Amino acid sequence: QVPTITGFAPRIGFLGNLISIAGVGSFELVTNVSFNGINTSFTLNTTTGVITATVPTSVAGTYTISVQNLAGSTSFTAYNYT
């Protein structure tokens, strides 16, 4: 099942900080997280199903967050990381 992002926090923050991403649809099988196509490191809390990812330091501004598993990917627009 393709993952679906249901929310993330914080919506405004700083480059290099951690962001929590919640979702459904085989979210526990996510293999990649990216911001504007830039892959980033992430961990999955198997108890809560929440992904913690690092906001890339290479580009400031509005990001499109994408999560991917073997079934496909989904995206969600984030706001202002500086």
Side-chain angles (χ1 to χ4, degrees), residues 1-43:
Q1 187 176 16
V2 175
T4 300
I5 297 172
T6 57
F8 60 92
R11 292 192 176 263
I12 297 174
F14 297 99
L15 301 176
N17 282 2
L18 297 176
I19 182 171
S20 296
I21 308 167
V24 295
S26 298
F27 219 61
E28 71 279 2
L29 300 176
V30 166
T31 57
N32 188 55
V33 176
S34 63
F35 290 72
N36 285 357
I38 301 167
N39 293 339
T40 190
S41 59
F42 71 95
T43 58

